[in-house]
Amino acid sequence: MMADSGPEEIAVIGNTDLTSAELENNIKNTMVEIEKWTSLLRKMEISVGEAEKRTGKNTVNMQEIYTVYLIETRPVDAVTEGIIPAPDSLWRRYSEFELLRNYLLVTYPFVVVAPLPEKRAEIVWHKLSADNMDPDFVERRRVGLENFLLRLASHPVLCNDKIFYIFLTEEKGWKEMVYETGFQAKADSRLKAMNAAFRVKNPDKRFTELKHYSDELQTVVSQLLRVRARVADRLYGVYKVHGNYGRVFSEWSAIEKEMGDGLQSAGHHMDAYAASVDDILEEEEHYADQLKEYLFYTEALRAVCRKHELTQFELEMAAQDLASKKQQKEELVTGTVRTFSLKGMTSKLFGQETAEQREAKLQVLEQQIEEGEEAVKEKNTESDEFVKTAWLDIEHFKDQKDRDLKEALISYAIMQISRCKKGIQMWTNAKECFNKM
Amino acid sequence: MSRTIDAVVSPTQTNTIPADISGQMLDLDEDDDLEVFSKDLTLADGNMFNASMPTSPGSMVNQCKFEEDEESDSKDIFITVDNPESHVTAIETFITYRVLTKTTRSEFDNSEYEVRRRYQDFLWLKGKLEDAHSTLIVHPLPEKFVVKGMVERFNGDFIETRRKALHKFLNRVADHPILSCSEDFKVFLSAQAWELTTYKKQGPGFLSRMGETVRAVANSVRGVKNRPEEFTAIQEYVEDFSNKIGSLDKVTQRIVKEQKEYLEELKEYGPTYTLWSGSEEELAEQLKGVAGCIERCCKETEEQVGHLSDTLVPVLHEYVLCAETLKAVLRRRDNIQAEFEAKNEALATKKVDRDAESSDLGFVWGSLLGKNPEEARHQRQERLDGEIEELKEEIDKLEDRVEWANNALKGDWGRWQRSMRGDLKSAFLSTAEKNVDYYEKCLAVWETFLLSQRTEPSEETDRDNTP
């Protein structure tokens, strides 16, 4: 049973078209402008160079081997008189990247924070090992980490973060600094978030849609990646079996007089054909990584949606609380009991309170109502702010996603074209050899 | 250009038997000579004799045209095998094939024949050809049953594969200078069903064929002692070839298998893009485009696999069977020589026997029977002399048989090698061409897609692409 209250006090935000299309567009353009000005990339080059193995003691004092990555930074305008100075560099391990990201997630809940590359190789096909120490995997992870940093550095909000800057520039003491921010305490508990998700009544429809979209995206891209891996596996098999032709042709050519030469050279082309698949599939792995990034992005999207639900829920709770206080006041004033309350019952049973008692109660309630109204106003603003900034970032993300994935699909087509051209060349060569038989 | 060659081969004459029948030309282009050796295949009834006798000269008076290269414009017989039909009787179900022959050869009464034959009939023909020309290389028939896999005999693919192989078999026989003159071959092509059945019943009976087999087994157990070097070389080659072609057969079948599995996965891949396009707005068209490309590549892949199965696989398989045929031919040649060697040894033993002093045992035996020792010895000498003469005659015949067999094989060997090279070269060529074609088609598919993406009004060029 919801009490009807004055329209202004409780501004529960439903789905409203907050801005007109033009206004939205203007904001978008402004964002791009801001990007240009504040993007960290304007100021410095960032790259993740090599990777190295280290040994050390972990938290339970056991020996472990881990990989560290070299982060190199250099100011963009550092090139003076044609001399490029050496970059500043420091080493970071994967867990530090994770820490950075968690910090950013908590500190900027309205931002769709770029995801990290896989900790472990998940969707693999047979040639690729799931071994974290595998050099190909480490290399792809290096690329992924660089991409992560670049994404952060070009984000209008995140690029200005101090912790991020120090992550890039100061090796020692960074961890302690992060913990000192106390961000962990600010993190919303999972339980709280889930509770809000269930009980929120009027979330912004756009966020609900976004949540659905991110679930869908996760499902379809996972499936696509799985099937792609299987296709890659099979393709690998087809190419490699042709290598057997190479061997047998070579052996056969030894016993033939007239056909010998043709067979021998055809055999070499078959070997080359079989070997060509390694590069082809390695390239495709980068395409898969591009898709994977967006697969992992869905988690970031969901995180923003959750935060919205939480703020919205808190607003609703505050409004509800205010409404019930006002209700109580009214009852006290008019003496009517509209809602069931223990007080009401006891007063019926044991007699009315004295006037002084009532007066005292009234004062308390009024105080609470005032505080409640403040709270609602605060929560309202908070929610408004959140929706505005979050949605801005989401639009930014959507554009980025469309651009990036379009490029990815084009590059996939280019890969296929390249593979076809290679195939044409190899089989044309083989054909010529067969002609000489 | 064809040359009419008069191959006069006769063990009793002193003409030298041409070493390579398929290529030589005897200089007999005076008209009168040609008259004498008319193309009269009624003499070629050599197929009806006891298989243990050497091929009589009569059957070899073949005025068949010896083409060095099988030019189709000088072909005078065209055979097709098609139209499989299934027949159901009370006892069995079987398939017959239509065998259509068009020919201008004079030994055929008509110029066109249409008969129906079943696999058994082909088997019969092959058997007869091999019996009559044990050291010629007869193209293999498709196998009785599919060795691996659970393909039913009446599966469409199986029937089609078999039909093609049977077609090839008959055409190879028709192309062979000696085999195509066989009476059995002619009957096979022209006789009606009941005529064929009657015809089949003639000829050496079961028992005489049994005898031949027993002898062959006996000889193969004994083994040949002085095999000429060239045949050992051929045998070694055949061993190696058999291994290589077997490997190629396996590799190709494996490729087909892998390709099919790739195709299966590919068929599921395209739809994942279509599924995704359902959740997108800006990207939807592009995703559907990629899905379309993948689907079209699927079709091309399917075609490519089909081509591989239809073109390369059967040819390799045929030559696996050929290798076995070659081994059998070499064995038969060895047996012929072994028989000859055995008889020679028997002769030597007999001579030793005869020249030996009267054995004491014989003397004793004779005296026990009340014979005059002198008379006994004389009788014995006479008997042995007679046997020796018989043996000598047999040996002469066998010697000719060996020489004939060797020459036949040598001649056919060159011929076989040429057609092997031709067949395999063209099969591999065709495969390579198809693969090029496959990649070209896929290339076109993706290039079209790429083109459609690049010519879109690029909103992207207006924006600064900061990632």
Side-chain angles (χ1 to χ4, degrees), chain A residues 145-165:
Chain A
L145 290 174
E146 184 176 283
N147 188 53
F148 169 73
L149 291 179
L150 291 174
R151 290 246 192 247
L152 295 184
S154 59
H155 191 280
V157 173
L158 299 179
C159 69
N160 292 319
D161 184 87
K162 188 162 161 230
I163 297 282
F164 174 50
Y165 186 77

Side-chain angles (χ1 to χ4, degrees), chain B residues 172-379:
Chain B
R172 281 300 155 92
V173 174
D175 287 340
H176 196 289
I178 299 174
L179 294 177
S180 67
C181 304
S182 141
E183 176 69 15
D184 296 318
F185 183 53
K186 177 180 160 222
V187 170
F188 179 91
L189 291 177
S190 55
Q192 289 309 305
W194 60 269
E195 286 175 333
L196 183 63
T197 320
T198 319
Y199 180 83
K200 277 193 199 180
K201 294 206 176 111
Q202 303 168 318
F206 179 65
L207 287 174
S208 71
R209 270 182 274 135
M210 266 288 274
E212 169 68 17
T213 315
V214 168
R215 231 193 315 265
V217 169
N219 287 331
S220 64
V221 166
R222 180 189 174 279
V224 71
K225 298 227 167 119
N226 289 312
R227 191 195 289 128
E229 177 55 40
E230 59 186 316
F231 293 111
T232 306
I234 293 180
Q235 181 166 61
E236 278 168 11
Y237 172 85
V238 169
E239 271 303 310
D240 288 332
F241 178 80
S242 174
N243 283 337
K244 298 312 147 209
I245 204 75
S247 297
L248 283 177
D249 185 41
K250 285 203 202 86
V251 170
T252 310
Q253 298 213 22
R254 178 80 192 280
I255 289 180
V256 168
K257 175 169 169 281
E258 293 284 339
Q259 195 80 313
K260 280 187 175 160
E261 286 176 349
Y262 167 67
L263 183 61
E264 283 313 299
E265 297 295 349
L266 208 60
K267 282 187 182 159
E268 292 193 21
Y269 186 41
T272 61
Y273 284 92
T274 311
L275 187 66
W276 185 1
S277 73
S279 307
E280 296 290 338
E281 286 164 15
E282 280 288 311
L283 287 174
E285 202 189 299
Q286 213 176 357
L287 288 168
K288 277 193 243 174
V290 173
C293 287
I294 295 174
E295 256 161 65
R296 276 194 292 278
C297 287
C298 270
K299 289 208 183 74
E300 297 302 335
T301 308
E302 205 154 8
E303 227 190 82
Q304 190 256 3
V305 178
H307 182 269
L308 207 60
S309 302
D310 286 342
T311 308
L312 189 55
V313 171
V315 172
L316 290 175
H317 196 60
E318 245 174 66
Y319 277 91
V320 169
L321 296 175
C322 265
E324 294 308 306
T325 304
L326 287 171
K327 286 181 190 165
V329 165
L330 286 169
R331 264 198 307 273
R332 286 200 288 267
R333 192 221 68 85
D334 276 357
N335 286 345
I336 292 173
Q337 185 173 340
E339 207 180 322
F340 168 70
E341 285 174 354
K343 279 267 144 61
N344 255 332
E345 275 172 27
L347 177 68
T349 317
K350 276 247 155 32
K351 281 186 175 168
V352 165
D353 254 4
R354 186 196 53 181
D355 295 342
E357 296 297 319
S358 335
S359 67
D360 295 317
L361 195 60
F363 182 63
V364 170
W365 195 238
S367 58
L368 274 177
L369 292 174
K371 277 205 177 134
N372 183 340
E374 267 305 312
E375 222 185 288
R377 188 162 18 119
H378 185 67
Q379 270 179 3

Side-chain angles (χ1 to χ4, degrees), chain B residues 67-246:
Chain B
E67 343 271 9
E68 272 201 329
D69 14 82
E70 268 89 42
E71 294 156 358
S72 48
D73 48 284
S74 46
K75 256 177 86 148
D76 59 357
I77 182 162
F78 296 88
I79 307 176
T80 51
V81 176
D82 59 10
N83 196 257
E85 264 175 22
S86 119
H87 296 252
V88 184
T89 69
I91 318 162
E92 55 175 348
T93 311
F94 58 91
I95 308 264
T96 62
Y97 302 83
R98 179 175 78 147
V99 177
L100 189 62
T101 311
K102 293 200 173 97
T103 179
T104 55
R105 290 192 184 171
S106 56
E107 60 267 27
F108 287 88
D109 295 330
N110 298 344
S111 58
E112 223 180 279
Y113 292 93
E114 182 177 325
V115 297
R116 295 206 74 89
R117 295 283 176 257
R118 56 186 291 191
Y119 181 76
Q120 267 180 24
D121 299 329
F122 286 85
L123 268 180
W124 167 85
L125 175 62
K126 178 163 190 264
K128 297 296 286 181
L129 291 173
E130 280 175 343
D131 278 350
H133 311 279
S134 56
T135 57
L136 287 183
I137 304 167
V138 180
H139 199 72
L141 274 178
E143 279 147 326
K144 245 178 141 60
F145 300 112
V146 176
V147 179
K148 44 185 169 276
M150 300 120 309
V151 178
E152 288 175 22
R153 279 190 344 171
F154 306 104
N155 171 283
D157 271 344
F158 174 74
I159 293 175
E160 175 59 17
T161 312
R162 196 180 246 201
R163 182 200 66 77
K164 278 197 237 176
L166 294 174
H167 174 97
K168 196 158 184 197
F169 168 76
L170 284 183
N171 277 286
R172 281 300 155 92
V173 174
D175 287 340
H176 196 289
I178 299 174
L179 294 177
S180 67
C181 304
S182 141
E183 176 69 15
D184 296 318
F185 183 53
K186 177 180 160 222
V187 170
F188 179 91
L189 291 177
S190 55
Q192 289 309 305
W194 60 269
E195 286 175 333
L196 183 63
T197 320
T198 319
Y199 180 83
K200 277 193 199 180
K201 294 206 176 111
Q202 303 168 318
F206 179 65
L207 287 174
S208 71
R209 270 182 274 135
M210 266 288 274
E212 169 68 17
T213 315
V214 168
R215 231 193 315 265
V217 169
N219 287 331
S220 64
V221 166
R222 180 189 174 279
V224 71
K225 298 227 167 119
N226 289 312
R227 191 195 289 128
E229 177 55 40
E230 59 186 316
F231 293 111
T232 306
I234 293 180
Q235 181 166 61
E236 278 168 11
Y237 172 85
V238 169
E239 271 303 310
D240 288 332
F241 178 80
S242 174
N243 283 337
K244 298 312 147 209
I245 204 75

Side-chain angles (χ1 to χ4, degrees), chain B residues 24-86:
Chain B
Q24 287 212 357
M25 177 155 78
L26 301 174
D27 229 317
L28 295 170
D29 44 11
E30 288 94 335
D31 285 357
D32 17 352
D33 280 86
L34 285 173
E35 236 171 86
V36 174
F37 301 102
S38 63
K39 206 166 172 185
D40 187 359
L41 276 175
T42 54
L43 292 171
D45 56 354
N47 296 312
M48 311 265 258
F49 56 82
N50 188 328
S52 66
M53 287 298 293
T55 313
S56 84
S59 74
M60 285 307 112
V61 179
N62 291 329
Q63 296 293 327
C64 303
K65 292 186 180 159
F66 284 68
E67 343 271 9
E68 272 201 329
D69 14 82
E70 268 89 42
E71 294 156 358
S72 48
D73 48 284
S74 46
K75 256 177 86 148
D76 59 357
I77 182 162
F78 296 88
I79 307 176
T80 51
V81 176
D82 59 10
N83 196 257
E85 264 175 22
S86 119

